[in-house]
Amino acid sequence: MELNLANKITLARIFLVPIIMIFLLVLRFDIGQVHVGPVTLTVSEIIATLVFIVAAVTDGLDGYIARRKKIVTNLGKFLDPLADKLLITAALISLVEMQRLEAWIAIVIISREFAVTGLRLIAVAEGHVIAASTWGKAKTITQIVAIISLMLNNIPFSTISFPFDWWATRVAVLLTIISGIDYFYKNRKLVNYTKPS
């Protein structure tokens, strides 16, 4: 099966995940440091952040290309949410390991992703497609902003002693919970559905 452009972009996002983790967790002390006000960042953390931003941008790009060129495929429908969840989950776990993120926040966000993925699988089995909601899109944006701020150790806000990363993670958690409730409420009939015998 030949991959189209949108699917290739999605696969590229998946391949960027281990690269981000290598720069965050393996090389973080080995290739130099940068001092910004009271905060010190390693060069590898900056590289990991840039790679994460590129990966996050491709999240919308692959879907846009698939819709515009009318090349939406079942493989793409499978790979795209998988790539998103791998990217966010890997980043959150790495940040917990780096002690920049409380474990409970990562658990809440990852648990919601598993729950909604399960709901989507139920929907697919019943011949339904659950489209991304406004809450879901807002959740994704706030998660990305929070992760970037944590990767950069709150730079540039650390120079003015404003805990932007702290607030960003709380907003992300709030929208994660709200969007999860929204998905399950709107699709409650699928959860309660019993196939006639």
Side-chain angles (χ1 to χ4, degrees), residues 146-160:
I147 288 169
I148 291 171
S149 68
L150 290 166
M151 283 184 175
L152 292 176
N153 208 5
N154 203 39
I155 291 173
F157 299 98
S158 56
T159 59
I160 58 173

Side-chain angles (χ1 to χ4, degrees), residues 101-171:
L101 178 67
E102 300 98 314
W104 72 266
I105 291 178
I107 291 169
V108 168
I109 292 175
I110 294 170
S111 296
R112 181 268 185 203
E113 299 302 336
F114 274 110
V116 172
T117 298
L119 180 63
R120 289 183 186 276
L121 291 174
I122 293 171
V124 168
E126 301 301 331
H128 301 283
V129 175
I130 300 177
S133 68
T134 301
W135 284 113
K137 292 174 183 176
K139 175 269 304 180
T140 299
I141 292 171
T142 56
Q143 285 179 0
I144 290 170
V145 170
I147 288 169
I148 291 171
S149 68
L150 290 166
M151 283 184 175
L152 292 176
N153 208 5
N154 203 39
I155 291 173
F157 299 98
S158 56
T159 59
I160 58 173
S161 299
F162 176 67
F164 177 83
D165 54 351
W166 189 92
W167 285 105
T169 53
R170 270 59 187 178
V171 171

Side-chain angles (χ1 to χ4, degrees), residues 12-13 30-31 36 50 89 102 104 141 150 164 172 180 184 189:
R13 184 158 77 256
D30 297 334
I31 56 176
V36 182
L50 293 174
T89 301
E102 300 98 314
W104 72 266
I141 292 171
L150 290 166
F164 177 83
F184 275 89
K189 291 182 180 178

Side-chain angles (χ1 to χ4, degrees), residues 18-161:
I19 294 174
I20 293 169
M21 296 190 73
I22 287 170
F23 277 104
L24 276 183
L25 301 177
V26 180
L27 302 176
R28 56 185 303 214
F29 300 114
D30 297 334
I31 56 176
Q33 295 182 336
V34 176
H35 302 280
V36 182
V39 175
T40 299
L41 275 182
T42 65
V43 172
S44 62
E45 288 169 351
I46 295 172
I47 294 171
T49 305
L50 293 174
V51 175
F52 178 83
I53 291 170
V54 170
V57 168
T58 67
D59 181 15
L61 182 61
D62 53 6
Y64 173 77
I65 290 174
R67 289 187 297 272
R68 180 160 186 178
K69 294 193 173 186
K70 297 180 180 178
I71 51 175
V72 176
T73 63
N74 288 331
L75 178 63
K77 291 177 183 177
F78 169 75
L79 286 179
D80 185 56
L82 174 64
D84 298 343
K85 285 165 182 53
L86 285 173
L87 179 65
I88 296 297
T89 301
L92 292 173
I93 293 173
S94 297
L95 289 165
V96 170
E97 169 71 15
M98 296 166 68
Q99 298 185 346
R100 290 190 187 170
L101 178 67
E102 300 98 314
W104 72 266
I105 291 178
I107 291 169
V108 168
I109 292 175
I110 294 170
S111 296
R112 181 268 185 203
E113 299 302 336
F114 274 110
V116 172
T117 298
L119 180 63
R120 289 183 186 276
L121 291 174
I122 293 171
V124 168
E126 301 301 331
H128 301 283
V129 175
I130 300 177
S133 68
T134 301
W135 284 113
K137 292 174 183 176
K139 175 269 304 180
T140 299
I141 292 171
T142 56
Q143 285 179 0
I144 290 170
V145 170
I147 288 169
I148 291 171
S149 68
L150 290 166
M151 283 184 175
L152 292 176
N153 208 5
N154 203 39
I155 291 173
F157 299 98
S158 56
T159 59
I160 58 173
S161 299

